Amino acid sequence: MNKEGAIGVYDSGVGGLTVVRELFSQLPGEKIVYVGDTAHVPYGSRSEAELVELTRRIIRFLLAKGAKIIVSACNTTSSVAIPQLEKEFPVPLVDVIRPGARGAVAATRNGKVGVIATEATVRSGSYQRAIQTIEPSIEVYAQACPRLVPLVEKGTLQGPEVEEALREYLQPLQEKGIDTLVLGCTHYPFLQPVINALLGPGVAVVDPARETVAEAARLLREQGLIYADTSRYRAHEFYFTGPADSFEKIGRSFVQLRDVEVKKAEI
Ligand code: DGL
């Protein structure tokens, strides 16, 4: 491995761009190779076996493109697949769950944390485990939100459909008295203005992206693999396995990449 290697990032679609935005901010010299697996989105309703196999194929693809570290910018595969694949590859695999859990533990004052996530993430119990490993007394309430990823992928980030779905998903958590909400799916920060408006100022909203990228930076620093020279432009690579419409509609402007050319990948 050398410094020139890329940071490999993947998700089922545009969700991982919420982590890429944070990578651009914290590690501006690094080259990003991104895979959005839109041929198989949504991941949240897939089986564990499918998710492990898709993740394995994506990581192989990213390694072939020169990744020196992989950031799993997907809570679903971070919950279900990464724990099984951790020892299979020669580079560090960074998940979003443990960093997200750390952010939630730091934010809560009353010890009641809500998590919104996909069905597979909620079923895995990953956030409950990760949060209670750090602080066993914290009560964790997880809510599956299957309607949200399809809305974000079609580029609908506000309006009645989004508000109605979010109201339905957030209400049970508000009734539990949470003071902290983890955005346990990387697609959800796209909906954060509506989420903030519905929750009001009394609930801290945690996007695991910041802690996740801090963790990746720490691992790279430890191994002497940070590429910090921002004076040399290195072209990022963005691959989608299916349609890239969501990238064109909401993703490109979100990560401010006017010129990057999107390529097709077979996974
Ligand atoms: N954005 C991903 C996550 O964080 C995947 C969502 C999906 O495809 O269902 O879980």
Side-chain angles (χ1 to χ4, degrees), residues 6-247:
I7 299 186
V9 187
Y10 74 88
D11 177 50
S12 60
V14 285
L17 298 176
T18 59
V19 176
V20 169
R21 183 178 60 170
E22 193 59 37
L23 282 162
F24 286 163
S25 143
Q26 288 189 42
L27 293 168
E30 300 288 352
K31 169 183 167 146
I32 306 297
V33 180
Y34 185 88
V35 172
D37 190 10
T38 48
H40 302 105
V41 69
Y43 274 4
S45 49
R46 290 187 179 275
S47 71
E48 181 172 323
E50 280 176 309
L51 291 167
V52 170
E53 195 43 38
L54 289 169
T55 305
R56 181 178 279 127
R57 284 194 250 154
I58 291 171
I59 294 176
R60 282 190 191 139
F61 178 88
L62 289 169
L63 290 178
K65 296 286 171 199
K68 61 185 174 185
I69 188 170
I70 306 286
V71 177
S72 168
C74 169
N75 290 259
T76 306
T77 59
S78 289
S79 299
V80 172
I82 294 295
Q84 297 187 41
L85 296 173
E86 237 156 8
K87 301 214 162 53
E88 202 171 304
F89 295 100
V91 299
L93 309 184
V94 181
D95 69 83
V96 278
I97 308 297
R98 285 168 286 195
R102 282 200 293 276
V105 173
T108 187
R109 294 287 163 260
N110 73 357
K112 292 179 201 252
V113 172
V115 178
I116 52 173
T118 66
E119 289 160 294
T121 299
V122 171
R123 204 181 323 119
S124 76
S126 59
Y127 270 106
Q128 291 92 320
R129 257 193 320 279
I131 291 172
Q132 288 171 346
T133 299
I134 306 171
E135 181 46 69
S137 68
I138 292 180
E139 294 167 34
V140 182
Y141 303 100
Q143 172 70 47
C145 309
R147 280 148 71 195
L148 300 184
V149 168
L151 283 170
V152 173
E153 282 295 322
K154 75 175 186 197
T156 307
L157 306 183
Q158 56 191 18
E161 249 184 308
V162 169
E163 279 166 35
E164 196 196 305
L166 276 168
R167 232 181 235 118
E168 178 190 320
Y169 295 140
L170 294 176
Q171 199 188 341
L173 301 175
Q174 290 172 295
E175 283 168 6
K176 296 287 183 194
I178 60 159
D179 74 347
T180 301
L181 178 77
V182 180
L183 303 181
C185 168
T186 50
H187 281 74
Y188 301 170
F190 279 104
L191 305 173
Q192 199 169 343
V194 184
I195 294 171
N196 287 345
L198 288 173
L199 290 176
V203 178
V205 176
V206 175
D207 175 355
R210 181 150 17 116
E211 286 276 341
T212 301
V213 172
E215 169 82 2
R218 190 181 59 74
L219 289 170
L220 289 173
R221 203 166 294 120
E222 262 173 27
Q223 300 183 18
L225 289 177
I226 294 265
Y227 189 95
D229 179 5
T230 50
S231 66
R232 227 187 84 208
Y233 179 70
R234 300 195 301 154
H236 304 297
E237 294 177 44
F238 281 74
Y239 295 91
F240 285 83
T241 59
D245 304 10
S246 51
F247 181 80

